[in-house]
Every structure is written in structure tokens, then in C-alpha cells.
């Protein structure tokens, strides 16, 4: 076979094995050096792929796809800075344990460090943020094709392992790059005859399961049974099964459950928003947990950590299916690497249920107070009412993606409990950046195969503006709700706001771009409702249409700060008369 045939077969084998391992969705950015890989994908009828002019957007889209499916999307790009643009999403995927496969085309050895165009050091470019990285040899018959297949298998296994995360394969190619039909009867390809006929992957693998040892179960049951004031915490959980098991445990034991927005429990009908209680100092002085059982990863809000730091519990147990250290306050007394669902199930019936009859009444009063201050139908729609309305109307046929900064905090604090079936919710909380949010939400929608709503601030919206080009595709209908306060509203809530007279200049970065013009540029529908009533009607209709739409909610940073303070002032008296279990 000639060089073109060898390279064509080489890439066809890689793509086919990826598909057989379940990694059959490809996010491709156009480029010359990656031609053999791109055409191998396009030529395989089983491959699903999408083209992205911006590699950074492509990588965040792949991240959203992984959040929805639990499977890695495959990123393909040319050489040079193209691969470097994947870096932010790779970091987020690594921190949030999301699978991702990067296949970067590269120049061959003889062009490295020579001043050749579009050539950088690509091998190990992502450093410690990958679970595995490897540079393949240039395509050639000296390399057994079986080794190529087993390398692809190892890449997928590492990406899906514990912890899941990004894997990078760097693939150098020599010119010419154009395809030519290979000869599969050639002796070099002959060992693949059975593989080609089978339709099965070259190597199958089984991922390990982490189950709790019997002695650990007994110790945990004893600890929880003996606690006088236990608290369950649901942080970032990886599955609906984990969320349901933790919620069931808390309900059966009558133990307070602090459920973060990332847990999958926060928007359920029976979930009490303890986030609001923990903002009240008088409440946390009365409720001092002596045992905390923390399922999953970190929380959006810092209030529980502050309260626990002030009154340290005797036991702080962390349960998550991840081998890494977790405990920013270094107060963890027991760390368990196991499925949260299996641990929660093992703890069922370990103690007599506590009586918390006042909890429902307490949080009913809380909901009424929030609605009275921020959600009156004829009042202007605002940064608190919008999350409450969205969470109350969206159902399980829809999905929700929430941007970092104030949207994440406001949805976590003020979301309305709902009675419909579980609503898939996702955030980029690995490192909590504001980059690539629209792209990730679009990928999340595509992975789930259902429409989604994105709640996003104006600075995050601006940061990923070109991703609006993705939203006309039927794979990912997205309702984008832009909370536009013309800058970084979160800085108004930080200590720097009262200690610096240059808040706008150096932190808030006021913006005056037109959200409407941005939507029209990408041929998207646009609306700007004035009141809560208008927003409710508009959003309900948008849910029915299942089409992409940009909804702008205009607000003012200072007014938003005052609104938050007014709600806290209304809630403080409610929590100050409650005990640690919500009983008045």
C-alpha cells in the first residue's frame, strides 16, 4: 500500500473502534492536518458528527454531551493553537470528572522545533489535567494494527474510569493527507479480518465498582444512630439514582437534608431550601450538627461550610465515587470511596425517625415571603423571580442548565419546589468558570435529546457569544434567558463593594452591548418581557414550541442587591424563631 492508503486505513480503524466502544459522537473543527481523521469520520455511516469553527466552543459542547450521556464525545482538530483552545474545557472536564477524548492532528517529527508553520509542542499539552495521554507514531506498516486498536480501547477505558476525565491522543501525519481506498487484503491488515467481521470492539473492559465493606456499613450505621443532631448534605452527585437514594434516606430518617442545586434533589417537591436557613446566623447558632454525612462533591453556597467551621461537628463523613481528596476545610474524619446510592441504601433504618412536623410550615412561610417580595405578577421580572418561575414551569421533558456566578446562586437559593417528575439539571461546577456556558448547555441538550433552558448572566453570555451559531440546529433547542444587569453583578455582594470606590471600573466591567442584536445576528427569536406575568406567559409558550429563543431580563445591579437584602430581611424573623429542625 502507498502512503495515502496506509493513512486512510489507519484513521478508519481508529474511528471504527471508537464507535464500537460507545464513543461515536465527534465534534470536529476544520483544518488541513486533521484531514485523514475528519474524512474517516465522515465516511463511516455509524458516526454522528458536527462541525465547529471554534475549537473552544467544540470542547465545551463535548463537555455538555458528556454530562448528559456519561459517554465521551471525541474532539478532532488540526495542529497548532487549535488544540490549545480545548484547554479550558479540558480543565473543567478534569475537575468535574467528565469523560472526554481529544484527538489532535500534528506535524511529523521532522517539522518539530524547525520554525515550520502551525507547529507547536502538542504532546502532553494538557499536563496533569488528562487521565492519560499518548503520542501515536506516524501511520506506517511497521506498527501492528492490533496495537492501534488496543490503544484506542485504553483511551476510552481511561476516560470512563475512576475518576472519569479527559484523554488526549496526539496523532502526527505526513503529507499527502488526501484519502485513497486501502487494501484490506494486504498482509498488514489481514489480522483485522475477524475484527472487521464481528462488529465488536477489539478489547472489552469492565469498570470497577466501589462497594462499602460490611464493617464500614456497621460503623456508619452506629455513627448515624448515635448522633443527636445529624445533617445530611447532597453535593454534586453523578446520577439520578444517587440523588433519589440520598433523598429517600433523609426522608425515612427524618434528618435535615441540605441539597445543593448540583445534587439532582434541590428541585424535587419535598426538598426544603435549607440554603436560606443557613444564611441566618441565629438559626445556625441553634442548629449545630454533631455528625455530617456529605454525599457527592462541593456545594454552590458557602454558608454550610461557614456554619460548620464555626461549630465543628464531631464527625464529618464524605461519601463519593472518587479517589481524590475532598475537604476544603480539612475537617473530614472519614472518607469513603463508594457509590452514594449503595451507601444510602445500606443506612436505611439505622435510627428512629426524628419528628420535624414544623418543617413544612416553616418553608411554606419562606416561599410566601419570597413570592411577596419578588414575584408579584405585575412587578418587573427580576433575577430572583426568573429562577423561581423557570423551576416551577420546566418539567422532566425539558432540561435546565445554569451558568456560574449569580444565576447558580440565585437558582440554588430561590428555586421553587416542584411537583413534576425530576428535571435534569447541570452546571459547570468543576472550576466554576463563566466561559463556554452556551456551548456546554447546547451539548447537554443534544446529549439528552431534549430541549433545555439556559439561565445565564450578560458577561457569561458575551464570553461565549459565537456559540449562538449552534442554536439553530434541531439537535439542541435552547431557551437562553439572559439576566442582563450590564456587568458582573456578583461583585456587588462581595466585601470589595464596600471597600473600593472603583467597583465598576475594575470589577463589574459594565457592558452595553445589545442582546437583541446578538440574537438577530444569529437568526434567533428574541423577547424582553417586562413583568413576572409577561415572563411566565412567554416562558410557558416557549416550552411548548421547543425552539431556540433568547429571552432578555433587564435589571439593575444596585436594585438587585437591594432586592436580595429585602428578602433576607423578610426571612430572618422566620428563621430566628425556628429550632434546628425547622420547628417553630
Amino acid at each position: 500500500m502507498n502512503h495515502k492508503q496506509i493513512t486512510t486505513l489507519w484513521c478508519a480503524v481508529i474511528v471504527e473502534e471508537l464507535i464500537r466502544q460507545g464513543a461515536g459522537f465527534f465534534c470536529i473543527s476544520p483544518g488541513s492536518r486533521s484531514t485523514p481523521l475528519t474524512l474517516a469520520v465522515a465516511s463511516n455511516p455509524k458516526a454522528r458528527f458536527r462541525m465547529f469553527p471554534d475549537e473552544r466552543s467544540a470542547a465545551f459542547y463535548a463537555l455538555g454531551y458528556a454530562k448528559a450521556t456519561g459517554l465521551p464525545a471525541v474532539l478532532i482538530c488540526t495542529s497548532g493553537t487549535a488544540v490549545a483552545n480545548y484547554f479550558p474545557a479540558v480543565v473543567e472536564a478534569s475537575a468535574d470528572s467528565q469523560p472526554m477524548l481529544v484527538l489532535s492532528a500534528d506535524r511529523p517529527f521532522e517539522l518539530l522545533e524547525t520554525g515550520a508553520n502551525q507547529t507547536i509542542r502538542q504532546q502532553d499539552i494538557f499536563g496533569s489535567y488528562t487521565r492519560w495521554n499518548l503520542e501515536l507514531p506516524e501511520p506506517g506498516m511497521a506498527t501492528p494494527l492490533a496495537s492501534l486498536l488496543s490503544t484506542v480501547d485504553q483511551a476510552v477505558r481511561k476516560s470512563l474510569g475512576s475518576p472519569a476525565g479527559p484523554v488526549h491522543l496526539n496523532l502526527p501525519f505526513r503529507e499527502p493527507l488526501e484519502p485513497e481506498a486501502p487494501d484490506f487484503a494486504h498482509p498488514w491488515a489481514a489480522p483485522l479480518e475477524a475484527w472487521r467481521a464481528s462488529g465488536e470492539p477489539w478489547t472489552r473492559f469492565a469498570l470497577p465498582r466501589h462497594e462499602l465493606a460490611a464493617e464500614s456499613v456497621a460503623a456508619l450505621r452506629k455513627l448515624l444512630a448515635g448522633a443527636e443532631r445529624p445533617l445530611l448534605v447532597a453535593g454534586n452527585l453523578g446520577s439520578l439514582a444517587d440523588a433519589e437514594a440520598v433523598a429517600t434516606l433523609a426522608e425515612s430518617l427524618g434528618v435535615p437534608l441540605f441539597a445543593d442545586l448540583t445534587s439532582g434533589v434541590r428541585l424535587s417537591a419535598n426538598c426544603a431550601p435549607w440554603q436560606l436557613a443557613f444564611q441566618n446566623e441565629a438559626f445556625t447558632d441553634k442548629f449545630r450538627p454533631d455528625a455530617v454525612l456529605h454525599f457527592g462533591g462541593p456545594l454552590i453556597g458557602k454558608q454550610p461550610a461557614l456554619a460548620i467551621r464555626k461549630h465543628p461537628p464531631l464527625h464529618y463523613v464524605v461519601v463519593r465515587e472518587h479517589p481524590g481528596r475532598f475537604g476544603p476545610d480539612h475537617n473530614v474524619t472519614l472518607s469513603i470511596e463508594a457509590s452514594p446510592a449503595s451507601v444510602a441504601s445500606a443506612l436505611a433504618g439505622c435510627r428512629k425517625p426524628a419528628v420535624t412536623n414544623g418543617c413544612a410550615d416553616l418553608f411554606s412561610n419562606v416561599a410566601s415571603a419570597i413570592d411577596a417580595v419578588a414575584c408579584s405578577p405585575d412587578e418587573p421580572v427580576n433575577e430572583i423571580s426568573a429562577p423561581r418561575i423557570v423551576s416551577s414551569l420546566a418539567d422532566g421533558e425539558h432540561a435546565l442548565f445554569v451558568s456560574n456566578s449569580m444565576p447558580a446562586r440565585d437558582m440554588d437559593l430561590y428555586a421553587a419546589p416542584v411537583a413534576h417528575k425530576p428535571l435534569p439539571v447541570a452546571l459547570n461546577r468543576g472550576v466554576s468558570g463563566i466561559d463556554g456556558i452556551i456551548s456546554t448547555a447546547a451539548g447537554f441538550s443534544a446529549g439528552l435529546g431534549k430541549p433545555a433552558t439556559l439561565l445565564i448572566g450578560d458577561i457569561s453570555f458575551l464570553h461565549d457569544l459565537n456559540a449562538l451559531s449552534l442554536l439553530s440546529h434541531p439537535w439542541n433547542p435552547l431557551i437562553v434567558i439572559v439576566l442582563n444587569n450590564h456587568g458582573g453583578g456578583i461583585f456587588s455582594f462581595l466585601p470589595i463593594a464596600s471597600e473600593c470606590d472603583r467597583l465598576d471600573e475594575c470589577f463589574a466591567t459594565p457592558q452595553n452591548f445589545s442582546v437583541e442584536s446578538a440574537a438577530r445576528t444569529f437568526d434567533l427569536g428574541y423577547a424582553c418581557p417586562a413583568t413576572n406575568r409577561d415572563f411566565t406567559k412567554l416562558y410557558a409558550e416557549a416550552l411548548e414550541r421547543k425552539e431556540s429563543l433568547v429571552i432578555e431580563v433587564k435589571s439593575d445591579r444596585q436594585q438587585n442587591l437591594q432586592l436580595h437584602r429585602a428578602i433576607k430581611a423578610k426571612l430572618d424573623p422566620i428563621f430566628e424563631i425556628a429550632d434546628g429542625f425547622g420547628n417553630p
Side-chain angles (χ1 to χ4, degrees):
M1 284 192 285
N2 61 35
H3 172 77
K4 288 183 180 180
Q5 292 175 310
I6 291 170
T7 302
T8 301
L9 188 148
W10 184 273
C11 293
V13 165
I14 289 172
V15 168
E16 176 64 25
E17 186 68 353
L18 285 168
I19 295 170
R20 294 187 185 190
Q21 288 289 5
F25 180 64
F26 299 81
C27 299
I28 306 174
S29 294
S32 176
R33 191 61 53 167
S34 52
T35 295
L37 282 171
T38 299
L39 293 181
V41 172
S43 301
N44 192 310
K46 294 177 291 184
R48 295 174 64 239
F49 70 96
R50 187 165 184 184
M51 301 301 297
F52 295 80
D54 175 7
E55 287 83 2
R56 186 176 66 96
S57 180
F60 278 107
Y61 193 96
L63 174 66
Y65 176 89
K67 286 176 179 288
T69 64
L71 295 171
V74 183
L75 290 156
I76 293 177
C77 71
T78 190
S79 63
T81 57
V83 64
N85 276 281
Y86 290 154
F87 211 118
V90 167
V91 171
E92 175 64 27
S94 180
D96 199 29
S97 300
Q98 298 295 336
M100 177 183 287
L101 294 171
V102 175
L103 271 57
S104 56
D106 201 356
R107 259 56 177 173
F109 167 78
E110 64 270 16
L111 295 183
L112 301 181
E113 305 291 333
T114 64
N117 186 45
Q118 207 171 314
T119 304
I120 64 172
R121 293 186 183 183
Q122 294 182 195
Q123 187 175 7
D124 197 26
I125 190 172
F126 303 116
S128 61
Y129 292 106
T130 58
R131 302 295 183 259
W132 191 55
N133 74 86
L134 193 67
E135 176 155 299
L136 274 61
E138 290 89 349
M141 287 190 289
T143 301
L145 288 172
S147 68
L148 190 63
L149 288 166
S150 68
T151 298
V152 171
D153 297 336
Q154 176 72 349
V156 177
R157 187 183 76 83
K158 282 288 191 180
S159 184
L160 290 170
S162 181
V167 165
H168 176 209
L169 297 180
N170 195 50
L171 290 84
F173 295 113
R174 288 193 176 91
E175 294 179 338
L177 303 168
E178 300 76 23
E180 186 173 325
D183 178 11
F184 279 97
H186 191 278
W188 180 52
L192 300 188
E193 184 176 350
W195 170 79
R196 292 180 64 215
S198 72
E200 299 293 327
W202 185 262
T203 306
R204 289 191 172 276
F205 55 85
L207 296 174
R209 293 185 175 273
H210 303 286
E211 300 296 338
L212 195 59
E215 57 270 23
S216 297
V217 171
L220 262 184
R221 289 179 66 89
K222 182 179 179 181
L223 184 155
L224 201 53
E228 294 182 8
R229 299 176 305 279
L231 171 67
L232 299 190
V233 174
N236 193 343
L237 293 171
S239 72
L240 182 59
D242 287 340
E244 291 176 342
V246 172
T248 299
L249 176 66
E251 185 178 6
S252 66
L253 300 182
V255 174
L257 171 64
F258 186 104
D260 189 78
L261 182 61
T262 60
S263 67
V265 181
R266 172 67 180 88
L267 299 185
S268 61
N270 321 337
C271 181
W274 290 100
Q275 286 88 333
L276 295 165
F278 273 85
Q279 285 193 322
N280 183 273
E281 194 170 335
F283 177 87
T284 55
D285 276 339
K286 285 178 287 187
F287 177 45
R288 305 182 182 188
D290 56 350
V292 177
L293 186 51
H294 185 131
F295 292 92
L299 308 176
I300 292 172
K302 62 182 180 181
Q303 288 80 17
L306 292 174
I308 289 169
R309 197 181 304 158
K310 187 176 178 182
H311 307 292
L314 185 61
H315 304 284
Y316 197 110
V317 181
V318 171
V319 178
R320 62 182 196 142
E321 208 162 8
H322 193 295
R325 179 171 67 164
F326 175 73
D329 286 328
H330 309 285
N331 59 350
V332 175
T333 57
L334 176 61
S335 182
I336 296 172
E337 184 183 351
S339 156
S342 66
V343 174
S345 299
L347 294 176
C350 68
R351 62 181 282 131
K352 184 179 179 180
V355 179
T356 59
N357 294 333
C359 186
D361 291 339
L362 172 75
F363 285 106
S364 176
N365 293 336
V366 167
S368 297
I370 295 172
D371 289 339
V373 174
C375 302
S376 297
D378 294 319
E379 289 297 313
V381 61
N382 56 74
E383 297 182 45
I384 291 175
S385 63
R388 284 185 72 77
I389 293 168
V390 166
S391 61
S392 67
L393 291 180
D395 61 22
E397 300 305 317
H398 207 74
L400 176 63
F401 200 94
V402 185
S403 181
N404 289 313
S405 198
M406 287 306 294
R409 286 162 174 80
D410 286 339
M411 183 64 81
D412 189 46
L413 284 169
Y414 303 112
V418 292
H420 49 62
K421 60 183 179 179
L423 174 68
V425 180
L427 300 85
N428 281 352
R429 294 303 291 183
V431 286
S432 302
I434 64 165
D435 47 346
I437 300 295
I438 301 173
S439 301
T440 314
F444 185 60
S445 169
L448 290 172
K450 61 175 63 178
T453 293
L454 167 62
L455 202 67
I456 188 171
D458 54 291
I459 299 296
S460 301
F461 181 80
L462 181 62
H463 208 295
D464 201 24
L465 200 61
N466 67 345
L468 293 178
S469 64
L470 304 173
L471 304 191
S472 59
H473 201 291
W475 281 355
N476 45 242
L478 197 65
I479 302 172
V480 183
I481 300 172
V482 185
L483 305 173
N484 186 7
N485 54 33
H486 301 282
I490 193 171
F491 294 105
S492 299
F493 292 80
L494 300 180
I496 191 65
S498 59
E499 298 174 10
C500 177
D501 59 0
R502 307 183 77 171
L503 183 69
D504 270 16
E505 178 187 7
C506 297
F507 296 96
T509 55
Q511 301 293 325
N512 291 306
F513 70 95
S514 169
V515 174
E516 180 178 7
S517 294
R520 304 298 187 201
T521 296
F522 293 96
D523 201 24
L524 298 173
Y526 168 85
C528 185
T531 66
N532 289 317
R533 190 191 307 277
D534 295 337
F535 180 83
T536 301
K537 182 176 184 294
L538 174 68
Y539 183 62
E541 292 171 351
L543 289 174
E544 292 295 323
R545 286 197 302 270
K546 300 180 180 180
E547 297 174 352
S548 291
L549 172 68
V550 176
I551 302 175
E552 182 179 11
V553 173
K554 294 183 177 180
S555 68
D556 176 89
R557 291 197 301 278
Q558 193 59 33
Q559 290 176 4
N560 181 52
L561 176 63
Q562 296 306 320
L563 182 63
H564 281 75
R565 287 176 174 172
I567 288 180
K568 188 175 188 306
K570 191 87 169 177
L571 296 181
D572 279 346
I574 299 174
F575 289 119
E576 284 168 3
I577 62 172
D579 68 12
F581 282 99
N583 294 303

